[in-house]
Amino acid sequence: MLEVSHGRTSGPSGTDRRGRWPSKLGARLHDHHAVPTAAIVYCSDTWTTAGLADDIADHLGRRGIATRVASIGEIDTDGLAEADYLFLGCWTHGWFVVNQHPVQRWVDWANVLPRLEHPRVALFTTYRVRTGSMFGRMRRVLREKAPRIELELKAKGTHLTDEGHRALDEFLDAGERLGV
Ligand SMILES: Cc1cc2nc3c(=O)[nH]c(=O)nc-3n(C[C@H](O)[C@H](O)[C@H](O)COP(=O)(O)O)c2cc1C
């Protein structure tokens, strides 16, 4: 099992700036025998989405994927375009039954992302009642950046459901078949 590397040492919106991606993210494009890489970046106010990011990271680690987890406040975004898998997460903000959307801090961050041609992208969120328009709104923000958003994961707490784990496995299996 690969060790999962966590960028976070303080709170989810903390000031730790160690957020450089492992150099293998850069090397990966030129080395077809390298292990697949994943970056998981989250926006979380009260740690739930951060916890879900960790749960996803643990799962990827068990699948032999070199994974880095960080909050949007502690990461340099340039290396993200080189990851094989990119998981972008934000907590669900809205009026609980309608108007769910990512928080402005995430939108501002997403708007300055590089173009994400290479990574297979997944979105994730945590919520209490329903996610409603959340993923649609995240997709709209990423429209010009990420042509390949292939998975949406949601949880009411810090752990994926069995169904979520299955969907994640299918996403990774498809990546393996494509030679990621
Ligand atoms: C101001 C506010 C608005 C929220 N709006 C919604 C909502 O529209 N739908 C929903 O299901 N949960 C909503 N929630 C619940 C959060 O999405 C949920 O608690 C989430 O897991 C928090 O993530 P975090 O701990 O990473 O910050 C809202 C919470 C707050 C504080």
Side-chain angles (χ1 to χ4, degrees):
M1 188 198 296
L2 284 170
E3 211 170 289
V4 172
S5 152
H6 295 259
R8 182 179 65 254
T9 54
S10 55
S13 53
T15 53
D16 176 36
R17 302 280 165 188
R18 288 192 306 146
R20 295 219 155 260
W21 300 102
S23 56
K24 54 172 128 7
L25 283 188
R28 163 73 187 154
L29 288 177
H30 312 290
D31 178 0
H32 295 291
H33 301 292
V35 294
T37 57
I40 304 177
V41 193
Y42 61 84
C43 177
S44 178
D45 257 12
T46 54
W47 287 91
T48 319
T49 314
L52 182 61
D54 284 344
D55 188 53
I56 295 168
D58 289 345
H59 194 87
L60 299 188
R62 285 193 292 274
R63 295 273 311 226
I65 297 168
T67 304
R68 178 71 199 276
V69 188
S71 83
I72 62 170
E74 62 186 4
I75 204 66
D76 93 85
T77 53
D78 291 346
L80 297 181
E82 289 164 359
D84 296 315
Y85 298 102
L86 179 58
F87 292 78
L88 303 176
C90 181
W91 63 281
T92 297
H93 183 244
W95 303 341
F96 286 87
V97 280
V98 290
N99 193 30
Q100 297 86 357
H101 54 276
V103 288
Q104 192 58 41
R105 206 162 70 84
W106 184 86
V107 173
D108 292 344
W109 177 81
N111 276 332
V112 295
L113 282 173
R115 217 173 134 72
L116 303 165
E117 298 280 357
H118 175 72
R120 300 188 62 224
V121 178
L123 304 179
F124 65 99
T125 193
T126 64
Y127 68 109
R128 282 271 174 75
V129 181
R130 62 187 298 258
T131 57
S133 50
M134 179 67 179
F135 287 125
R137 299 278 285 271
M138 290 176 86
R139 281 176 180 272
R140 202 184 307 163
V141 172
L142 294 165
R143 196 173 37 204
E144 304 296 322
K145 308 278 182 183
R148 294 204 295 172
I149 298 174
E150 298 171 13
L151 177 66
E152 295 169 354
L153 296 169
K154 59 182 177 180
K156 285 189 174 175
T158 55
H159 287 82
L160 287 175
T161 59
D162 289 347
E163 189 192 340
H165 279 128
R166 264 196 304 278
L168 179 53
D169 274 328
E170 278 170 24
F171 172 67
L172 300 174
D173 290 345
E176 271 176 17
R177 283 197 297 276
L178 291 169
V180 170

